[in-house]
């Protein structure tokens, strides 16, 4: 069964507007971590933001913020004030527990920022 | 600067050949990972190693092999048993303890010709 689900089709967003990317996850482990990565066309994976399952507040990192809805097993990434350089694939990933530190990835969301 | 170096950036393989992808890190990280990415898809775990001289299979290990003789190095061999090896391969590392931070290399694009 897929642990991370990202189902939105490719998105176009106007420069300077906000964009929200959806991610749902499946785990029975009470301890887990959620990550968002950006992958531009060059291919490297760039870490954006992290949310721990026990964190009481939604994570924020500059223009990136998470809307963490634990009961719904959902974590949505909000990119505020979009820039042309934000055009990329965005991946949600989860690490379960503290044992093997494996990351499970979703299939990604394509974002294109238009001027 | 510390980081992960993957080489080569592009690799072409003839059918039936084994090829080895290099991954070197100078972050002093204990754990290292190999992922495969197909077009329009997320990353799938091939192998991972949490300590020198030890490694475990990931979700799609068939047709691949690894070694971890040094902390800094985690090479991946794509064997002839891998029937569909054309993909983008990413190596990552993570430091044990503290806030979990995974660092990725820039990837190797493997094409079978």
């Amino acid at each position: 069964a897929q642990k991370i689900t990202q189902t939105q089709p490719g998105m176009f967003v106007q420069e300077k507007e906000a964009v929200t990317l959806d991610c749902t996850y499946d785990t029975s482990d009470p301890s887990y971590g959620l990550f968002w990565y950006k992958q531009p066309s060059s291919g490297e994976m760039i870490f954006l933001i992290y949310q721990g399952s026990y964190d009481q507040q939604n994570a924020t990192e500059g223009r990136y913020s998470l809307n963490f809805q634990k009961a719904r097993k959902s974590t949505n990434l909000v990119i505020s004030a979009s820039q042309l350089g934000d055009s990329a694939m965005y991946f949600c990933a989860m690490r379960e527990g503290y044992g093997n530190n494996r990351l499970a990835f979703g299939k990604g969301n394509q974002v294109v920022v238009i001027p | 600067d510390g980081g992960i170096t993957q080489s080569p950036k592009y690799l072409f393989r003839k059918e039936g050949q084994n090829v080895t992808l290099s991954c070197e890190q100078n972050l002093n990280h204990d754990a290292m990972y190999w992922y495969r990415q197909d077009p329009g898809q997320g990353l799938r775990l091939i192998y991972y190693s949490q300590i020198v001289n030890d490694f475990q299979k990931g979700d799609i290990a068939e047709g691949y092999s690894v070694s971890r003789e040094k902390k800094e190095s985690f090479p991946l061999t794509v064997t002839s048993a891998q029937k569909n090896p054309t993909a983008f391969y990413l190596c990552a590392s993570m430091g044990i303890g503290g806030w979990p931070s995974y660092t990725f290399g820039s990837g190797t694009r493997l094409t079978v010709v």
Side-chain angles (χ1 to χ4, degrees):
Chain A
Q2 197 167 358
K3 289 184 176 290
I4 301 288
T5 303
Q6 295 177 262
T7 57
Q8 289 166 296
M11 303 175 68
F12 290 89
V13 58
Q14 201 77 36
E15 196 177 6
K16 300 180 184 178
E17 293 191 347
V19 58
T20 299
L21 304 178
D22 300 333
C23 172
T24 58
Y25 57 91
D26 181 29
T27 181
S28 57
D29 196 320
S31 176
Y32 55 89
L34 298 163
F35 300 75
W36 280 90
Y37 283 88
K38 171 184 177 181
Q39 186 180 44
S41 57
S42 54
E44 76 268 31
M45 298 289 282
I46 302 168
F47 168 74
L48 296 178
I49 194 167
Y50 167 81
Q51 180 87 46
S53 60
Y54 295 119
D55 293 343
Q56 295 297 312
Q57 294 188 331
N58 288 332
T60 62
E61 194 70 46
R63 293 188 298 112
Y64 305 107
S65 61
L66 289 183
N67 179 13
F68 181 42
Q69 300 179 56
K70 193 171 182 177
R72 292 186 176 185
K73 295 187 177 180
S74 165
T75 176
N76 301 328
L77 174 69
V78 179
I79 307 173
S80 62
S82 297
Q83 303 171 355
L84 295 179
D86 294 334
S87 295
M89 284 288 287
Y90 290 83
F91 291 94
C92 179
M94 177 176 66
R95 185 198 69 170
E96 294 177 279
Y98 293 101
N100 56 39
N101 294 310
R102 297 170 50 153
L103 278 182
F105 283 82
K107 294 188 176 182
N109 297 114
Q110 178 74 54
V111 172
V112 176
V113 180
I114 53 178
Chain B
D1 287 339
I4 296 182
T5 301
Q6 287 188 245
S7 61
K9 191 172 179 67
Y10 298 96
L11 187 57
F12 297 89
R13 188 194 95 170
K14 292 183 179 180
E15 289 205 27
Q17 281 184 338
N18 292 355
V19 290
T20 298
L21 282 60
S22 171
C23 177
E24 303 277 334
Q25 55 102 355
N26 60 3
L27 299 164
N28 199 32
H29 284 174
D30 291 302
M32 297 187 74
Y33 308 80
W34 273 106
Y35 288 91
R36 169 182 172 139
Q37 185 178 25
D38 293 285
Q41 300 295 315
L43 279 64
R44 293 183 291 167
L45 183 64
I46 305 172
Y47 268 98
Y48 63 104
S49 167
Q50 298 198 87
I51 198 167
V52 174
N53 292 322
D54 187 45
F55 48 84
Q56 288 79 39
K57 293 181 178 180
D59 301 317
I60 55 166
E62 185 174 351
Y64 300 97
S65 66
V66 293
S67 63
R68 188 84 187 277
E69 297 177 1
K70 299 187 300 182
K71 189 175 185 178
E72 303 79 18
S73 179
F74 191 41
L76 173 74
T77 297
V78 184
T79 75
S80 56
Q82 171 49 240
K83 298 306 178 189
N84 185 22
T86 295
F88 187 56
Y89 292 86
L90 282 158
C91 179
S93 70
M94 196 203 79
I96 299 294
W99 186 73
S101 176
Y102 299 83
T103 302
F104 282 83
S106 56
T108 293
R109 195 167 299 278
L110 173 63
T111 304
V112 173
V113 296

